[in-house]
């Protein structure tokens, strides 16, 4: 088993929480894990990217070679497009459809979506809308993780256990909101 994932978004959207949950699940499954993060101006709404490599065999580097990523998981559609060149020919994009307009020259949303929809192997969900319908918009990252779950090579139950472990200290309501968003995202992707 080997899965190379690029996690992308804007500071504050919860990309690093997704990475933490995936890492927790991988380690519980006795898999090897390497991660590298680029925060940019994350505290000011800048882009955030994380390379996450999960494998049943030892991993030499935490960086994913260009054209070798199995998946881009992005909480922002334009950020998903930023990493298309990192994808392997059979790679998959899982992204939220809602833009995070953090720059004055953000392209027209319709143009961004048209470019995404022209690519193969793209799953687009309204992560924030899905999360809001079952819990809170703050759990949109868990809705996106749910949409990615069928392609990760990790059982959904294990990901749910990791959500419980990672968010457990924040209380039962936070755990339940994140689990509800994860399950709704999983259902939306199927």
């Amino acid at each position: 088993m080997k899965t190379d994932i690029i996690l992308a978004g804007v500071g504050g959207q919860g990309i690093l929480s997704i990475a933490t949950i995936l890492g927790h699940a991988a380690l519980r499954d006795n898999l090897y894990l390497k991660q590298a993060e680029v925060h940019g101006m994350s505290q000011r709404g800048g882009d955030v990217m994380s390379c996450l490599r999960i494998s049943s065999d030892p991993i030499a580097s935490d960086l994913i070679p260009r054209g070798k990523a199995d998946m881009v998981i992005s909480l922002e559609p334009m950020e998903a497009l930023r990493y298309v060149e990192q994808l392997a020919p059979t790679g998959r994009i899982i992204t939220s459809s809602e833009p995070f307009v953090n720059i004055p020259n953000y392209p027209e949303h319709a143009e961004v979506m048209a470019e995404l929809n022209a690519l193969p192997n793209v799953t687009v969900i309204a992560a924030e809308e899905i999360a809001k319908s079952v819990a809170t918009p703050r759990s949109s990252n868990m809705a996106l993780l749910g949409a990615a779950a069928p392609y990760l090579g990790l059982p959904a139950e294990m990901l749910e256990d990791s959500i419980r472990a990672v968010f457990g200290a924040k209380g039962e309501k936070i755990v339940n909101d994140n689990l509800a968003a994860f399950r709704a995202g999983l259902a939306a992707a199927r």
Side-chain angles (χ1 to χ4, degrees), residues 41-109:
M41 295 289 290
S42 61
Q43 292 185 343
R44 296 180 189 256
D47 64 312
V48 176
M49 184 272 262
S50 180
C51 291
L52 187 64
R53 305 186 81 188
I54 301 170
S55 177
S56 53
D57 298 316
I59 304 165
S61 172
D62 53 357
L63 298 178
I64 300 169
R66 187 176 187 181
K68 300 293 184 183
D70 298 300
M71 194 176 313
V72 171
I73 301 173
S74 180
L75 272 158
E76 208 287 326
M78 188 177 75
E79 292 299 320
L81 289 174
R82 182 188 305 262
Y83 298 103
V84 167
E85 290 182 356
Q86 292 294 113
L87 277 174
T90 58
R92 173 168 295 281
I93 294 174
I94 295 100
T95 186
S96 178
S97 60
E98 295 106 346
F100 188 103
V101 182
N102 59 339
I103 55 174
N105 59 343
Y106 192 98
E108 288 295 321
H109 185 250

